[in-house]
Amino acid sequence: MKNNKTLFRFFTLVLFCLAFQICFSNNSLKVDSVAIYTKNNQYEKALLFAKNRSANFLNHKEYLKYSETNIQISEIYNLINEKEKALKVLFDVIKTLQKKEVVGKIITYRKIGAIYTSLTKYEKAKKYYYLALSNAKKSKNDSLIGRLNQPLYKIHKLLKSDSATYYLKKTMEYNKRIGDDGDLSTAYNNYFFHHVYRREFKIAKKYLDSTLYFAKKSKIKNKILIALTNDIYYKLEFENNFLASKKIYQEIFKLKGNDTLSSEAIQLYYGYAFVLKNLGDFKESNKYLDKYIQINSVLFDTKNNNAIRDVETKYQIEKLENGYKAKQILLEETQTKNQKIFFIIIGFLAFLSILIYFFYQISKLKQKNKLKTIQGQIQQNIINATLDGQELERKKIAGILHDNISAQLTSASLHLSAYSAINKMESEEISKTKIILKEAHDTVRDLSHELLPTLLDKFGLFYALNDLCEKNSNSLIHFEYSNTIDQKDRYNKEYETKVYYIVSELFNNILKHADASLVDLIIEEINNDLIIHIGDNGKGFYSNKSISSEGFGLTQIRARVSKMIGTFIISSKINSGTSLQLRLPIPE
């Protein structure tokens, strides 16, 4: 009795593995000509039909259909146990697709993973499942990402990896979101065995009940059979309930109908015989045991016949493939001939070379213009580099003057004062020395502030520009300052420094050349741009002359504004003054 129960446990585990495989397998062949040929064991016809269709799809650049058809071809090779050819077909698809069709690559990688799983090469299978997942994430296709959770759960379960739990949860989350009853039965079935392995039998029973509920609701025969088989496994293994198991077996037989010759059916007969035996119905038990033995014998003979047929099929397929290759070679030769004819026609159309010559001349002219643009850009980059260097040098010199020389002069003055106080003496020479030191200190401070204005550094651009207007104003010329922005607003220090020196340079130009008595500086901020208007009532000039004829000062300003991705507009007429507008984007 104990020995029989051990055998039955082995049988129920075999059934579980079968259910597990069905649950995780890819979609079967589509109901089309290929599927019909395959169902009737006409593999060579199925293969020829699928290969012709694949070539047609590739020729018309229908890459997704091309991928799906080659998966069919791979499945045909798989059916006749030609695993290497099945894989080669799929790897050729990946090589052909490259970046042309993401969905096609994803389903092909997934199929490669499934074949490696069937070969028990689980690490390789995992690699290709993850390639499929990576491409699915890049394509942001939630459906493809979600459907990869189940095979990833399976492969991690087979590898006994901790990641199995992660993909177990992800599978359930996705299937709940989609709401497909068949897929939900699979997800709950996963949890059933997860808790069985953890020996959490009460929790496992709840998930088994959910599996049964959704399987029956889906009305998918395979899903219902899996759920019922697992229910038998649970009732025998953990409840020792033979009577309930008998009822489930009867429900399974009713569902399977005339299917009496499959390997699954004979295993069911064996298990049912065992249950009947334990219920004391030895007559019925022996009847089903005899069925098991008889059908097993028939299946053995069928298996041998199938093996012979497979050898014949492989020969026919090899013959078919050789013929297909010969057709491909003939097609390539025809294409080569067509190419030769094409080149002959091109020879007769040599007069087009004149047109090509004109195009060449136009292209040459474009290249010259492009070269001129590049040269202008290089010149602008040199000017910008020079200005950047000047600003850096100014900061450096100002820092040295303020932090070193000024400090040393102050220190010398203090030491001199301390010496006078200690020795209680104040000679004329000491007094003159103090005066000289103070003058030197003031000169250094003024020079430092001129190189890098203190107001700019401490209080910002607007205080510095206001101060610049006041410093440049005198009895001959007045600089009027107007600002619509809060005086306390600050921008990026580098940005403020560049704007300050641009305005300063424009003021210098006005002082040197304009002969103006009034200058207006107006500042406003519009759409995250700083707008600066400078207008004077001076003698003006012809502003419509070419930019190349402008002085070096204006050229420097244009280069600086261009680098800041801004605009610089000059409007001027003789004896009518000049108006300048700067529009500079404000950095974050």
Side-chain angles (χ1 to χ4, degrees):
M1 176 73 178
K2 187 178 179 182
N3 204 21
N4 283 342
K5 188 154 187 178
T6 304
L7 283 170
F8 185 70
R9 283 184 178 178
F10 172 75
F11 154 71
T12 52
L13 284 172
V14 168
L15 276 183
F16 157 62
C17 292
L18 176 65
F20 201 67
Q21 181 65 33
I22 294 167
C23 200
F24 292 133
S25 64
N26 289 305
N27 294 331
S28 59
L29 291 172
K30 294 179 181 177
V31 182
D32 57 12
S33 299
V34 176
I36 293 166
Y37 285 137
T38 305
K39 188 178 179 181
N40 295 326
N41 298 324
Q42 294 175 302
Y43 298 121
E44 56 270 30
K45 286 186 177 181
L47 200 60
L48 180 62
F49 184 87
K51 283 195 172 186
N52 286 332
R53 191 162 66 172
S54 167
N56 184 53
F57 286 141
L58 183 60
N59 189 43
H60 288 87
K61 298 183 180 179
E62 295 182 60
Y63 295 116
L64 180 56
K65 290 181 179 179
Y66 165 77
S67 307
E68 291 169 342
T69 306
N70 276 279
I71 287 172
Q72 287 185 315
I73 294 168
S74 173
E75 286 181 351
I76 294 165
Y77 281 124
N78 209 20
L79 286 169
I80 59 172
N81 209 27
E82 290 276 12
K83 305 285 187 182
E84 285 186 15
K85 285 186 178 180
L87 285 169
K88 185 181 181 303
V89 168
L90 299 173
F91 284 126
D92 286 344
V93 170
I94 295 295
K95 189 177 178 182
T96 302
L97 290 182
Q98 293 177 347
K99 296 182 180 179
K100 292 170 184 171
E101 168 55 51
V102 178
V103 176
K105 281 175 71 176
I106 293 165
I107 61 174
T108 305
Y109 279 134
R110 188 171 64 191
K111 181 62 182 175
I112 293 169
I115 293 174
Y116 276 126
T117 302
S118 70
L119 292 168
T120 67
K121 294 182 179 180
Y122 302 136
E123 286 295 341
K124 282 191 173 182
K126 184 175 79 170
K127 172 188 170 183
Y128 287 99
Y129 281 138
Y130 273 116
L131 279 170
L133 183 63
S134 173
N135 280 274
K137 285 179 177 177
K138 284 178 186 175
S139 70
K140 297 180 181 178
N141 190 319
D142 289 339
S143 175
L144 288 171
I145 294 168
R147 293 194 175 278
L148 282 163
N149 290 323
Q150 183 71 7
L152 282 164
Y153 162 63
K154 176 189 174 183
I155 204 68
H156 282 293
K157 194 74 179 172
L158 292 168
L159 286 166
K160 297 180 180 177
S161 163
D162 292 340
S163 297
T165 305
Y166 170 79
Y167 285 106
L168 175 77
K169 292 176 182 176
K170 293 290 282 185
T171 302
M172 180 63 82
E173 287 170 9
Y174 174 75
N175 289 338
K176 278 185 175 180
R177 191 166 73 248
I178 298 303
D180 181 86
D181 294 329
D183 289 339
L184 276 170
S185 75
T186 300
Y188 280 108
N189 195 51
N190 293 342
Y191 271 90
F192 164 64
F193 280 103
H194 175 74
H195 289 290
V196 165
Y197 289 143
R198 293 163 67 96
R199 305 196 65 77
E200 296 168 348
F201 304 124
K202 287 185 179 179
I203 300 171
K205 182 65 171 67
K206 289 179 182 178
Y207 283 109
L208 179 58
D209 292 341
S210 296
T211 305
L212 280 162
Y213 170 77
F214 284 106
K216 288 179 178 180
K217 192 180 175 187
S218 74
K219 297 181 181 178
I220 300 170
K221 187 176 176 180
N222 275 353
K223 302 286 183 183
I224 298 168
L225 286 171
I226 290 164
L228 291 172
T229 304
N230 290 340
D231 198 18
I232 293 171
Y233 168 71
Y234 186 86
K235 282 180 169 51
L236 289 174
E237 186 70 18
F238 306 116
E239 294 180 352
N240 209 31
N241 191 337
F242 291 98
L243 190 60
S245 298
K246 178 184 175 182
K247 290 179 181 177
I248 299 167
Y249 267 118
Q250 289 171 347
E251 188 177 349
I252 290 173
F253 290 139
K254 187 178 178 182
L255 187 64
K256 287 186 76 66
N258 295 324
D259 178 16
T260 58
L261 291 175
S262 66
S263 58
E264 297 95 333
I266 66 164
Q267 292 296 339
L268 287 169
Y269 289 147
Y270 179 81
Y272 190 51
F274 177 78
V275 169
L276 291 170
K277 181 183 174 184
N278 278 274
L279 288 169
D281 192 348
F282 298 107
K283 185 178 178 181
E284 279 293 303
S285 176
N286 287 334
K287 176 184 169 183
Y288 277 94
L289 199 58
D290 287 342
K291 278 188 178 183
Y292 166 76
I293 293 166
Q294 288 168 11
I295 296 168
N296 207 19
S297 176
V298 171
L299 283 177
F300 180 77
D301 292 339
T302 305
K303 190 176 180 181
N304 287 338
N305 292 334
N306 287 343
I308 294 165
R309 189 196 65 215
D310 285 349
V311 171
E312 291 174 354
T313 302
K314 286 177 185 178
Y315 169 75
Q316 291 296 333
I317 286 173
E318 194 171 341
K319 187 178 176 182
L320 181 72
E321 285 176 342
N322 290 335
Y324 191 80
K325 284 177 184 176
K327 283 183 181 179
Q328 287 290 100
I329 292 166
L330 185 63
L331 181 65
E332 287 172 6
E333 286 175 354
T334 305
Q335 286 176 342
T336 305
K337 286 178 182 177
N338 290 339
Q339 283 177 351
K340 286 179 181 178
I341 294 166
F342 173 75
F343 285 124
I344 292 168
I345 293 168
I346 289 295
F348 285 110
L349 299 174
F351 70 90
L352 289 175
S353 59
I354 299 167
L355 189 60
I356 293 167
Y357 172 78
F358 282 117
F359 277 121
Y360 170 75
Q361 291 298 325
I362 292 166
S363 175
K364 208 171 177 182
L365 187 62
K366 284 181 180 178
Q367 284 180 347
K368 281 183 181 178
N369 291 334
K370 192 175 180 181
L371 186 62
K372 193 179 284 186
T373 303
I374 291 167
Q375 286 172 342
Q377 188 63 49
I378 290 168
Q379 188 178 3
Q380 197 173 77
N381 289 342
I382 291 167
I383 292 169
N384 282 327
T386 304
L387 292 171
D388 288 340
Q390 285 176 356
E391 285 179 11
L392 192 64
E393 200 62 31
R394 279 181 173 181
K395 287 179 184 178
K396 187 176 178 183
I397 293 168
I400 292 168
L401 289 173
H402 184 272
D403 298 335
N404 293 333
I405 298 172
S406 181
Q408 287 172 2
L409 290 170
T410 302
S411 178
S413 181
L414 286 171
H415 281 302
L416 195 59
S417 297
Y419 176 82
S420 298
I422 291 166
N423 292 290
K424 296 179 180 180
M425 57 181 292
E426 186 70 30
S427 66
E428 185 179 347
E429 285 77 13
I430 289 174
S431 298
K432 284 182 179 179
T433 304
K434 283 183 179 179
I435 291 166
I436 292 166
L437 285 170
K438 187 178 182 307
E439 287 176 354
H441 176 271
D442 291 342
T443 303
V444 168
R445 182 198 61 201
D446 292 341
L447 182 58
S448 172
H449 289 176
E450 190 177 335
L451 288 167
L452 187 66
T454 306
L455 277 172
L456 178 64
D457 188 48
K458 291 185 177 179
F459 299 103
L461 177 65
F462 304 124
Y463 281 101
L465 290 177
N466 192 3
D467 181 64
L468 188 65
C469 286
E470 289 177 7
K471 281 182 179 178
N472 282 303
S473 295
N474 53 47
S475 59
L476 298 175
I477 185 168
H478 177 69
F479 285 80
E480 184 70 29
Y481 174 82
S482 175
N483 179 18
T484 62
I485 310 166
D486 190 341
Q487 192 82 346
K488 295 178 183 178
D489 278 6
R490 294 297 303 266
Y491 302 126
N492 177 293
K493 273 193 174 184
E494 185 181 351
Y495 178 79
E496 288 187 344
T497 303
K498 287 176 179 176
V499 174
Y500 177 85
Y501 283 125
I502 287 170
V503 174
S504 179
E505 182 63 27
L506 289 169
F507 278 12
N508 287 338
N509 280 351
I510 291 168
L511 289 168
K512 286 179 185 177
H513 308 295
D515 289 340
S517 61
L518 179 64
V519 180
D520 291 316
L521 172 62
I522 302 168
I523 304 170
E524 54 186 343
E525 188 178 310
I526 301 172
N527 297 330
N528 208 37
D529 284 343
L530 187 67
I531 313 296
I532 298 171
H533 301 273
I534 301 173
D536 67 66
N537 62 352
K539 61 185 181 181
F541 60 94
Y542 289 112
S543 60
N544 57 357
K545 62 183 179 179
S546 66
I547 291 171
S548 59
S549 62
E550 289 178 349
F552 185 66
L554 284 178
T555 304
Q556 280 189 324
I557 291 166
R558 284 194 186 278
R560 176 62 77 201
V561 171
S562 176
K563 189 177 181 184
M564 294 171 76
I565 318 173
T567 57
F568 179 39
I569 300 169
I570 301 175
S571 178
S572 182
K573 289 182 181 179
I574 298 294
N575 299 323
S576 297
T578 302
S579 175
L580 310 170
Q581 187 192 75
L582 288 163
R583 191 181 192 100
L584 303 168
I586 298 167
E588 291 182 0

